[in-house]
Each structure stands twice: as C-alpha cells, then as structure tokens.
Amino acid sequence: MDKTVEKKLTKWLKLQKKACGFYLNLSVFFGVLTGLSLMCQAWLIATVLQGIIIDELPKSDFIDHFWALLLLTIVRGGLAFARERASFQAGARLRMQMREAVLDKLALLGPAFIKGKPAGSWASIVLEQVEDLQDFYARYLPQVVLAGFIPLIILVAVFPINWAAGLILLATAPLIPMFMILVGMGAADANRKNFSALARLSGHFMDRLKGLSTLKLFNQGEKEARVIRKASEEFRERTMAVLRMAFLSSAVLEFFAAVSIAVLAVYFGFSYLHHLDFGHYGVSISLFTGLFVLILAPEFYQPLRDMGTHYHAKAQAIGAAEELMALLDHPSEQHGGDKKISGAVEIEAKDLTVYSLDGCLLLGPVSFKVKADEHVAIVGPSGAGKTSLLNALLGFLPYKGQLKIAGTELSELALDGWRKHLAWLGQEPQLFHGTIRDNIAMGRSLSDEAIYKLLAQAQILDFVQQQPQGLDYPIGEQTSGLSVGQSQRIALARALAQQAQLFILDEPTASLDSLSEQAVQSTLTQAMQGKACVMVTHRLENLSAMDKVLVIDKGTIVQQGRYEQLVSEPGTFKQMLEEASSVSEFDIGSAELKGDK
C-alpha cells in the first residue's frame, strides 16, 4: 500500500477514537496502574530475597512484605480485568457508532448507490470490516500509550540504582519498534487485499445463492460452484499470508526481547564475578539491584512486545478502513434545505437533468407538470430513464435544472418532510423479517383496527384472518411464507398507511397474475382519488384512465398527452403499443396450441 494512503487511513482511524468516549483513557489509566503495581511487587521480592539470603535476616521480619505481595497480586488481577472491560467497551462503542454511521450514510445515498454493489459486499462492510476495528481501538491505541509510559517509568526506577542496566534497556528497546515498522509495511497491504477478497466472495456467493433456481434451470450450478471454489481458495491464500506474517513477527519480537534480557543477565553475572566494574555509582552491586532490574526487564519489553502483537490490529484496521472511509466520505446529494411543503403537492420540472452519483447523465433535459389531483403515467423502452426520474423525485439522485414541489425547489426542502407526503410502491416490494403488523406499521403507532382497515383496502384481510397468528403472522427473509401477490398487497397496505398526497408507483403490478393485478389496481384507483400520482409502467393497455402519459425515449420526453391522443398519432407510444399487441397475440396463440394438444 502507498505510504501516503496508509498515513491518510491511519489519521482517519485516529479521528474516530472520540466515539470510544472516556473508556479509552480509562483503559490506559488501568494499564499504568498495573505497571506501577508490578514495580512495587518487584521491589518487595528483591527486598525480601536480599534480606533473607544476603543480610540473613529472619523471615518474620518480612511478614508485612508477604501480605503486601499477596494484596498486590489481587490488585493486579482486578486492574487487568478492569482494563479489559474498559478496552472492550471502548471498541464496542466505536463499532456501534461506526455501524450507525455506515447505515445512515447508505440511507442518505439511497438505493441507486446501494445497487452498485452486491448485497454481500455491503454485508461484509457492515459486519466483518467494522468488527475488525475492535482490536485497533480496544488494544492497539491504549497499548501505544502504555508502550511509552511503562518503559519510561521503569527507566526512571532503574537509572538511579544502576546506569549501565538503564543504558542496556534504553539501547535495546528500539529494536522491537523498528522490526514492527518493517513488518507493518506489508501487513496493512496484505489485510487490505484480504478484505477485498472477502467482499468479492461475500457478494458473489450471496448473488448466486439468490439466483440458485435460475442456475439450476440453466445447468450452470457446477460452473458457478467452481467459480465460488476459486474465490474461496483466493481468500484462504490471502488469509494464510496474513497469519504467516503475524506468526513470524511474533516470533522475532520474542527473540529480540529474549536477547535483550540475556544481555542484561550477562552484565549482572559478570559484575557479581567481579569481571565488570561499572554502572553502580561507586557502590558494589547488591543482590537487590540485580533482582530488581532483572524482574523488571521482561516487563520493560512486555508493553513493546504487546504493541508489536497488536500492531497487526492496526494493519487489519487499515485494511478495513479503506472501504469504510471511501463510503463515509462519499459525496451525497443531500438536500440541505429545511423548508416545509405548504399547500397541495404539485410538481413542476423545467429543463430537468438527472445524473448518477458518479456524474453520468441519466435523463434530460425534460420539462413537465403534475397537478395536485392529476394521474400521470411514464412509459418508454427499457433504459430510457423512467426509474431515474422517480429516484430524482424521491431525492436519491442529483439533478440540475428546476424541480419544484408545491412551488418550492426540491433541493430546498427537508427530505424527511417531503417523503412524509409520498406513498411508494414498486414491483418488488421489500418486506422485512418480522410480523405483518411490523411491516405495515413500520414503527408508527397504529392500532390493530387501523391495520385491519388498511388490509381490507388492500384486499388481503381474508388471508390474514385465516392465519392462527393473525397480525402476528411471521414473514421470513425474502418474504418467505408469502406469494408475490400477497407480498405486493401487504406492501400496498403499508403504502396506504402513509396517508400521502402523492403516489409514486414503479411497475406496481408487473409481477402479479391477472387477478392480483386487478385487485391492486382497483385499490390504487380508490386510494388515489383526489391525490396526485406518478406511475412508471409497461402495461400500456390500462392507461386510458390516466390524465396524462409521458413517453420517454433515450433520456428525453418525446411525446406527452392523453392516451387517446397518443394512440391516434404516429410515434414511440403507438409503436410500443403495436409491439405489446403482437406479444399478446403470440401468447394467446401459444395458449390455444397447448389447449389443442
């Protein structure tokens, strides 16, 4: 990974640590107290052994020392537990806030942006990549501070009693951070590639799982299984590369720490044999001095070794942060206005152009009007820009030109307030894992009577009343347990609960059989009386009831008017109608042939 990019990601990660609250500082505080308690234990042990072995004092003189050692052991255990709890809470608060920020950003960017990636990739970001930030905030960041504090405190305690031992500690300490930096150069890049492979695998697997029936019907199951096997193998290899680096670096860090302690032990050994005579300020080196320094020596390197161990948490977090930062910093077409809609909802577009989130032109320029009680149909070939127009109206895509709602520019309106005036129904309604009551109320305080009334309007009440659970009938993931028609009518009941002034419909009956289509269409007709409607549809034969039809082709409005007017004049609409009639005649002919057989 480029060093500039790595520094940028590291800086971004550190800026997020305020989400950890005071728990991060609390973890450091408990770590410092643990270090101080350890130094006190080292002093007590060295004092006891000096007194008993060298000074030949009775053991009874050290009863208080033994009780103090026992007490410090208990205190250290309590401090270690408190530090772990504080560290975990710091990471947990960060993860919770990060997931909230990701979900808020995705809601702000809207479905047009989300559809640019497979669902599995988003799941990887929200779950695995946010989860992998835990150790960076819970362990690495506190350990960086402790790796500076604890060795410094130990040096302050060692130098006054033996400057040579202090110099050995001071000289050998940089070996561990230096090696950490060398390893870290490749670790962050390895983790980044590992996350990319995981996101690809998750997205690929989820997409193929959703389309399993199609793959089976086209005899492509074995081929896709080989593709998933190859992606899994790539992910395995990258994971093993990261683990190899982690194990190698841990082993080398332990080696350097062991060598440094051995140098210190050799110095004291030769000093006791009178082969070395320096470092003791003119006073002979006592057993207390050697024991005190040698007990502290492993603890001097331990914070640095722990930081080396947790340095992989930094590399892991940098790998995860790349996509998180790109998502959270992605520019969004957020309407900054705070104006509210006053009066009836009317739409006026003039020289309107709609763009994708990356700046590509999708539609326009177009000009049209929708009155407060007018029903307008939008038709055209696939890819003409119909759905892009709806996404612009919903506030999901950026636009230029003029798009006024009740006389106020859409960019000046508060989106939440604008969407409260809308009822949306698409061809593939999203019902959530929960009950029928949950899916209709959507967090609003609706009584059971009100929900039953909405179900009756949507002509789905009979189905609900037939279920033993009633409104508590469970809806599984991907609307399991319901037919397409039942799902659509429950979604219709949810849309009716909005009490909207404008209905925005995107192929609301495209996936329904003729009976379900008639039921949904009848309910919509009744619900939309006196209210505005903008509907995208391919069903041209039912447009005679619409007040106006807009025909879009190649991003522009090529025709507009009433159904009767468009049928009588040559153009795109008449051509589409003729093609639809030809398809219908072919279907009827096929059905008759099947009947003859």
Side-chain angles (χ1 to χ4, degrees), residues 204 207-209 211-229:
H204 192 89
D207 283 350
R208 270 50 183 182
L209 191 62
L212 187 59
S213 58
T214 304
L215 293 173
K216 286 289 186 183
L217 289 172
F218 284 88
N219 296 317
Q220 294 297 308
E222 185 60 32
K223 179 181 177 182
E224 287 300 325
R226 289 195 298 270
V227 173
I228 291 175
R229 193 179 300 117

Side-chain angles (χ1 to χ4, degrees), residues 186-195 236-249 312 315-316:
D189 191 47
N191 275 282
R192 181 182 62 82
K193 292 178 180 177
N194 192 42
F195 280 122
R236 185 193 68 81
E237 290 175 356
R238 294 191 185 281
T239 302
M240 294 307 297
V242 173
L243 291 176
R244 280 196 300 270
M245 197 171 296
F247 290 136
L248 174 64
S249 62
H312 295 283
Q316 194 174 36

Side-chain angles (χ1 to χ4, degrees), residues 104-125:
D104 287 346
K105 186 68 175 183
L106 290 176
L108 184 62
L109 292 170
F113 177 81
I114 293 173
K115 288 181 179 179
K117 278 188 177 183
S121 296
W122 296 122
S124 175
I125 291 174

Side-chain angles (χ1 to χ4, degrees), residues 4 16 20 48 65 117 198 219 252 277 295 332 351 375 401 409 433 472 481 510:
T4 305
Q16 312 307 313
C20 300
V48 170
H65 292 71
K117 278 188 177 183
L198 176 60
N219 296 317
V252 176
D277 188 23
I295 292 172
S332 57
D351 296 328
H375 296 175
E409 192 65 39
H433 182 73
D472 293 321

Side-chain angles (χ1 to χ4, degrees), residues 317-517:
I318 288 175
E322 187 172 26
E323 285 196 57
L324 286 170
M325 188 179 77
L327 172 62
L328 295 176
D329 293 346
H330 194 284
S332 57
E333 186 66 14
Q334 182 178 14
H335 299 293
D338 56 359
K339 291 185 179 180
K340 297 181 179 180
I341 295 176
S342 57
V345 172
E346 293 186 349
I347 302 173
E348 181 180 359
K350 185 176 182 181
D351 296 328
L352 173 68
T353 53
V354 180
Y355 296 87
S356 65
L357 293 170
D358 55 3
C360 296
L361 179 65
L362 299 176
L363 173 75
V366 296
S367 301
F368 63 91
K369 290 184 180 180
V370 180
K371 296 179 181 177
D373 58 351
E374 193 173 26
H375 296 175
V376 176
I378 302 175
V379 301
S382 297
K386 304 182 297 296
T387 301
S388 299
L389 178 57
L390 293 192
N391 280 326
L393 285 173
L394 293 169
F396 293 138
L397 286 177
Y399 73 89
K400 292 182 181 179
Q402 180 177 293
L403 181 57
K404 290 188 175 181
I405 310 296
T408 303
E409 192 65 39
L410 179 59
S411 58
E412 298 176 4
L413 291 174
L415 274 180
D416 290 343
W418 161 232
R419 288 171 182 159
K420 288 179 181 178
H421 293 79
L422 303 177
W424 178 85
L425 186 63
Q427 58 180 312
E428 296 178 357
Q430 176 63 56
L431 298 184
F432 300 96
H433 182 73
T435 64
I436 290 178
R437 178 189 287 106
D438 296 335
N439 274 275
I440 293 178
M442 289 291 286
R444 292 169 291 201
S445 55
L446 294 178
S447 64
D448 287 357
E449 291 75 16
I451 293 176
Y452 280 126
K453 185 177 180 181
L454 292 168
L455 291 170
Q457 285 182 269
Q459 301 187 35
I460 191 66
L461 180 60
D462 290 344
F463 167 78
V464 177
Q465 290 178 334
Q466 289 170 5
Q467 308 307 315
Q469 303 99 321
L471 293 177
D472 293 321
Y473 178 79
I475 298 175
E477 294 181 7
Q478 302 296 322
T479 66
S480 62
L482 297 174
S483 68
V484 176
Q486 290 165 346
S487 301
Q488 189 75 323
R489 278 180 273 186
I490 290 174
L492 175 58
R494 180 172 63 193
L496 296 176
Q498 187 77 355
Q499 299 295 314
Q501 296 186 48
L502 172 64
F503 281 76
I504 295 184
L505 311 174
D506 187 4
E507 300 280 2
T509 61
S511 303
L512 303 181
D513 56 65
S514 58
L515 291 176
S516 298
E517 178 183 1

